[in-house]
Amino acid sequence: MRHKSSQMEPGCEFTRFRSFPMASRAEPLITRQHVNVTLVDTETTSLDPASGEVVGVSLLCLRVAIDTGRVERVVASTHQWRQPISISPEVETLIGVTHESLKGRRFDERAINEVVSVTDLVIAHNADFDRSFLESVIPSLIEKPWACSMTDIQWRSEEGLKRASIDFLLSHYGAEPSSGAPGDDCRALAFLLDQPLPRSACTGFRRLIEAAAVAPRRITDGSETAGACRGRSRRGDDGGDRRS
């Protein structure tokens, strides 16, 4: 649940990901060489899953090469909104949509499950938050392995950065802040994880794929890159808000 600069409109696309071709049909692509990674962003009416509702979800599934940790193509994506039972004016301002604009909207479960069905790993920035809301709404996510791009990468203690928020990391890599519009945070996260980590000889994607144990631990025998990326725990010491 974050501030939005526009209402239900896609934000600026990061150049590298604008040119990737969409798969003609979604297919499982996990092999020793590739993993299908789905980035998730959730919009809610509260920070508490006991009282809040999911009103928006974005899923961006990317084919990532295990050896390089780089994105090769977009596999599938969907951005969905649904009408909540209630939403406060304060939350409307924060997420940039109104109860009236969401009237009559429902999640397209088929579209969502098509993306989830070809997913090998789910990644979110502050995954505990997204997972706590989404697994009751999208049951097909329950059996999927998750990784957290905010805490499973040691942005501060190992990579030497001051913060682990999306906008701070975008600034570090010379990119403009995410607009926060549906799908834009997913594209921003894709851009960030496709970059080499500041001090490690691997990308964020590669670090998270190994952390979640959905790829062989030893990717390249004797490789300094493989050694640098192995053995990371699922939990880190980086906290704070995922946006700022």
Side-chain angles (χ1 to χ4, degrees):
M1 185 177 71
R2 299 178 303 281
H3 173 72
K4 302 298 181 186
S5 61
S6 60
Q7 293 190 1
M8 297 188 292
E9 292 295 332
C12 60
E13 294 190 4
F14 294 90
T15 303
R16 172 167 160 73
F17 298 96
R18 183 164 45 202
S19 60
F20 282 149
M22 181 69 74
S24 57
R25 68 187 184 95
E27 297 179 353
L29 295 171
I30 188 169
T31 65
R32 186 175 177 83
Q33 291 77 36
H34 304 97
V35 170
N36 277 1
V37 175
T38 292
L39 306 179
V40 175
D41 183 45
T42 310
E43 302 303 336
T44 67
T45 61
S46 167
L47 297 177
D48 182 2
S51 60
E53 301 175 71
V54 177
V55 295
V57 63
S58 294
L59 304 172
L60 175 62
C61 184
L62 305 169
R63 176 176 175 171
V64 178
I66 293 175
D67 59 346
T68 63
R70 302 299 302 274
V71 174
E72 295 192 339
R73 63 186 290 187
V74 174
V75 178
S77 66
T78 189
H79 313 303
Q80 300 285 331
W81 291 95
R82 71 173 186 175
Q83 179 182 347
I85 295 174
S86 64
I87 183 171
S88 70
E90 292 78 14
V91 172
E92 288 181 338
T93 299
L94 281 172
I95 67 175
V97 296
T98 64
H99 192 276
E100 183 64 26
S101 69
L102 296 175
K103 189 174 182 179
R105 293 210 177 197
R106 297 180 180 180
F107 283 168
D108 183 340
E109 295 182 4
R110 180 177 179 179
I112 290 173
N113 287 328
E114 282 181 353
V115 178
V116 176
S117 69
V118 296
T119 297
D120 303 310
L121 172 64
V122 182
I123 295 175
H125 208 65
N126 193 2
D128 286 346
F129 173 84
D130 295 88
R131 194 171 189 176
S132 67
F133 276 93
L134 287 178
E135 288 190 340
S136 63
V137 178
I138 309 174
S140 54
L141 286 173
I142 294 174
E143 300 302 321
K144 299 294 182 180
W146 284 68
C148 180
S149 54
M150 189 170 75
T151 60
D152 289 337
I153 296 173
Q154 311 303 306
W155 296 104
R156 292 181 289 193
S157 62
E158 294 184 8
E159 303 304 331
L161 300 183
K162 294 180 179 180
R163 295 196 296 277
S165 70
I166 288 179
D167 285 347
F168 179 85
L169 297 174
L170 288 171
S171 176
H172 172 79
Y173 285 106
E176 294 295 322
S178 169
S179 73
D184 200 40
D185 276 353
C186 287
R187 287 187 290 269
L189 189 57
F191 169 81
L192 290 172
L193 297 178
D194 202 50
Q195 309 304 309
L197 295 172
R199 291 180 177 173
S200 303
C202 63
T203 68
F205 274 123
R206 185 165 173 172
R207 173 69 57 77
L208 294 175
I209 288 169
E210 290 193 331
V214 295
R217 281 294 181 184
R218 192 167 184 81
I219 294 174
T220 306
D221 291 343
S223 165
E224 292 183 4
T225 301
C229 293
R230 283 199 300 272
R232 307 299 183 184
S233 67
R234 286 298 317 278
R235 292 265 61 86
D237 63 356
D238 288 313
D241 182 74
R242 58 183 177 178
R243 289 292 307 147
S244 60

